[in-house]
């Protein structure tokens, strides 16, 4: 039985790209970039007025001096400074013409008119060069890297891509994923189970977890604990890029999955890890297909997806490993085993933010993850967590 960290390393060693595709930008929300994005020109591409006001030359400014002005410049237009022209009225977003290097906002201007001639003066003792002007290239220079490979595209990234002219964008393709839930006791969620049966929540948990990445399973199947049916179903599932099974991986007489996977030529990379819940997890590979065999209890499935499949998919999309988040626990907690334990927690803010454990009755408790913000990690080497002790936290 290997440790949690060893299991993660073995899983990440098998990560790989599933290719890339070019899609319209308006369909790219949530997708992951497979190309680096560079600035196609300077941003701003010109000295841009940041205020409605007056553009003048820093060297010509003097408190209270009357400046005559005749012209206005709006965003989307341009003009050149005329000889002996000291000031123009300018609007937000307009390009500041060469020869002007200060914009004074309209609120600080004193306007007057004599015989049809317009004047402006300013009450400030001094101004500074480039005041209220966004200088050309101050946000980005042409050729600057703006977004790296592996960036997940949220609203801000989509807006940036539009600004630099990417009407289409190259993103990582989704893997073809199939889900198989197993067990004689399992029935579809729309059926009324008999007293000895349970509804198939696991396939829903797995498929919903995949939606975090935008992945929709190619196929979801339930199979009873029948060797022939299960073998045929798994054989068909191995036509995918990623096959995820739930149930049938422990040590019971009807836990058929490990032997059937071996029979079908799937290499056993590891079976069982020193964690709780999720200890019986099975991980292997056949040709280009990755196989995760998750335990059957609902909270085990939710936990194993978060701690093992999440990192695998992130690595396959060239995303960096998640930064470790750490918080103190509010109350003490004990364990009697030497396993790395993952337990549901809420984030509660008092004078600072704490992790508060949510009581539950084992990995089969359907309420285990209810109202939780994520998982606290109880290290394998520790038998007790003391109040205020800082531990790792994995948000859902």
């Amino acid at each position: 039985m290997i440790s949690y960290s060893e299991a993660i390393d073995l899983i990440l060693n098998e990560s790989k790209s599933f290719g890339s595709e070019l899609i319209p930008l308006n369909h790219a929300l949530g997708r992951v970039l497979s190309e680096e994005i560079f600035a196609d020109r300077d941003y701003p591409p010109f000295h841009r007025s940041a205020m409605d006001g007056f553009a003048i030359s820093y060297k010509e400014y003097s408190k209270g001096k009357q400046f005559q002005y005749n012209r206005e410049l709006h965003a989307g237009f341009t003009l050149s400074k005329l000889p002996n022209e000291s000031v123009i009225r300018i609007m937000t977003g307009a390009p500041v013409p060469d020869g002007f290097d200060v914009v004074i906002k309209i609120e600080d201007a004193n306007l007057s008119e004599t015989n049809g001639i317009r004047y402006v003066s300013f009450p400030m003792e001094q101004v500074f060069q480039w005041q209220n002007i966004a200088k050309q290239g101050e946000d980005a220079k042409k050729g600057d890297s703006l977004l790296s490979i592996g960036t997940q595209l949220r609203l801000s990234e989509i807006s940036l891509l539009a600004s630099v002219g990417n009407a289409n964008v190259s993103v990582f393709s989704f893997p073809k994923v199939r889900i198989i839930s197993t067990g004689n006791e399992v029935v579809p969620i729309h059926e009324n189970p008999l007293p000895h049966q349970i509804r198939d929540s696991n396939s829903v948990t797995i498929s919903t977890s995949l939606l975090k990445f935008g992945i929709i399973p190619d196929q979801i199947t339930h199979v009873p604990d029948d060797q022939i049916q299960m073998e045929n179903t798994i054989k068909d599932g191995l036509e995918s890029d990623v096959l995820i099974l739930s149930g049938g991986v422990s040590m019971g007489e009807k836990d058929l999955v490990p032997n059937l996977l071996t029979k079908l030529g799937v290499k056993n990379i590891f079976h069982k890890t020193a964690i709780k819940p999720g200890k019986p997890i099975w991980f292997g590979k056949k040709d280009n297909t990755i196989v995760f065999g998750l335990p059957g209890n609902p909270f085990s499935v939710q936990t194993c997806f978060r701690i093992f499949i999440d990192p695998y998919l992130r690595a396959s999309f060239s995303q960096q490993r998640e930064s470790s988040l750490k918080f103190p626990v509010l109350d003490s907690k004990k364990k009697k085993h030497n396993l790395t334990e993952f337990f549901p927690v809420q984030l509660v803010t008092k004078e600072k933010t704490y992790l508060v454990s949510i009581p539950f009755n084992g990995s089969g408790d359907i309420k285990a993850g209810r109202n939780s913000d994520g998982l606290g990690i109880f290290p394998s080497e520790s038998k007790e967590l003391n109040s205020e002790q800082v531990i790792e936290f994995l948000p859902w």
Side-chain angles (χ1 to χ4, degrees):
M1 185 165 58
I2 63 175
S3 69
Y4 166 56
S5 61
E6 289 173 319
I8 284 287
D9 287 342
L10 288 170
I11 288 171
L12 295 184
N13 285 342
E14 299 299 331
S15 65
K16 65 180 182 67
S17 170
F18 303 104
S20 61
E21 57 186 308
L22 194 67
I23 64 171
L25 183 60
N26 59 0
H27 294 169
L29 184 65
R31 300 296 294 268
V32 179
L33 273 180
S34 61
E35 63 176 338
E36 189 171 3
I37 301 298
F38 299 93
D40 63 320
R41 58 177 180 165
D42 289 347
Y43 287 91
F46 49 80
H47 298 323
R48 184 184 65 217
S49 177
M51 293 283 178
D52 291 335
F54 291 87
I56 68 167
S57 167
Y58 171 75
K59 293 180 179 179
E60 293 186 31
Y61 179 79
S62 179
K63 177 184 176 182
K65 179 180 177 180
Q66 292 279 345
F67 294 93
Q68 180 182 338
Y69 73 96
N70 300 306
R71 298 195 294 169
E72 296 184 353
L73 180 58
H74 294 260
F77 296 88
T78 186
L79 55 77
S80 297
K81 183 178 181 294
L82 299 174
N84 301 320
E85 188 174 36
S86 298
V87 62
I88 61 169
R89 188 159 184 176
I90 195 167
M91 307 303 166
T92 302
V96 180
D98 290 343
F100 297 118
D101 53 7
V102 174
V103 170
I104 300 174
K105 60 185 179 180
I106 190 66
E107 293 89 340
D108 292 331
N110 297 319
L111 305 178
S112 61
E113 186 172 332
T114 303
N115 297 326
I117 300 174
R118 296 180 295 178
Y119 296 93
V120 63
S121 63
F122 309 101
M124 296 83 69
E125 290 291 338
Q126 60 181 8
V127 295
F128 57 90
Q129 199 170 22
W130 304 113
Q131 177 175 315
N132 296 323
I133 296 174
K135 294 181 69 177
Q136 179 175 339
E138 73 175 25
D139 298 333
K141 297 288 188 183
K142 182 178 180 179
D144 282 356
S145 177
L146 301 179
L147 295 171
S148 60
I149 294 173
T151 299
Q152 189 161 22
L153 301 179
R154 300 161 299 180
L155 180 59
S156 295
E157 289 78 17
I158 296 290
S159 176
L160 175 57
L161 287 163
S163 295
V164 299
N166 287 75
N168 298 294
V169 62
S170 180
V171 298
F172 285 106
S173 299
F174 293 137
K176 182 180 180 180
V177 180
R178 293 188 178 179
I179 299 169
I180 301 173
S181 64
T182 71
N184 291 330
E185 76 281 15
V186 177
V187 298
I189 61 172
H190 58 270
E191 289 190 11
N192 290 320
L194 298 173
H196 60 279
Q197 295 176 320
I198 58 173
R199 294 186 178 93
D200 179 15
S201 66
N202 289 343
S203 63
V204 176
T205 297
I206 295 166
S207 59
T208 303
S209 298
L210 288 167
L211 284 177
K212 175 180 178 180
F213 298 90
I215 299 170
I216 297 175
D218 178 66
Q219 188 178 85
I220 300 175
T221 309
H222 170 256
V223 61
D225 295 321
D226 176 89
Q227 185 150 339
I228 294 175
Q229 288 189 58
M230 191 176 291
E231 181 176 344
N232 290 333
T233 303
I234 293 174
K235 184 177 180 179
D236 182 59
L238 290 172
E239 298 298 318
S240 61
D241 296 307
V242 180
L243 174 61
I244 306 173
L245 301 103
S246 67
V249 293
S250 193
M251 301 296 291
E253 183 179 345
K254 291 293 185 179
D255 290 317
L256 306 174
V257 170
N259 287 337
L260 287 175
L261 288 170
T262 300
K263 180 181 178 181
L264 291 168
V266 184
K267 177 185 176 183
N268 178 358
I269 296 175
F270 69 79
H271 184 197
K272 296 184 182 179
T273 59
I275 63 171
K276 182 181 179 182
K279 180 180 175 182
I281 184 172
W282 196 99
F283 178 71
K285 179 181 180 180
K286 181 180 181 182
D287 300 325
N288 293 318
T289 303
I290 291 296
V291 180
F292 290 92
L294 310 183
N297 280 328
F299 191 62
S300 293
V301 168
Q302 187 176 347
T303 299
C304 284
F305 193 103
R306 179 63 183 89
I307 66 178
F308 292 127
I309 302 179
D310 249 36
Y312 170 79
L313 291 172
R314 287 179 59 87
S316 296
F317 295 145
S318 293
Q319 293 181 302
Q320 295 181 349
R321 290 186 72 165
E322 292 177 283
S323 300
S324 177
L325 298 177
K326 295 185 178 182
F327 293 93
V329 294
L330 184 62
D331 301 310
S332 60
K333 184 177 176 66
K334 296 181 179 181
K335 65 179 172 72
K336 298 179 180 180
H337 51 75
N338 293 320
L339 306 176
T340 300
E341 185 172 330
F342 298 85
F343 58 99
V345 291
Q346 286 182 324
L347 291 168
V348 175
T349 301
K350 296 180 179 293
E351 66 278 3
K352 55 186 174 182
T353 300
Y354 290 93
L355 298 178
V356 177
S357 176
I358 296 176
F360 69 108
N361 298 315
S363 59
D365 187 345
I366 64 169
K367 307 186 308 299
R370 185 185 61 173
N371 298 325
S372 62
D373 296 307
L375 297 166
I377 303 180
F378 199 146
S380 59
E381 64 274 12
S382 302
K383 292 293 179 66
E384 183 174 4
L385 297 177
N386 298 310
S387 178
E388 299 286 343
Q389 184 173 338
V390 175
I391 62 169
E392 286 189 71
F393 168 70
L394 285 176
W396 290 123

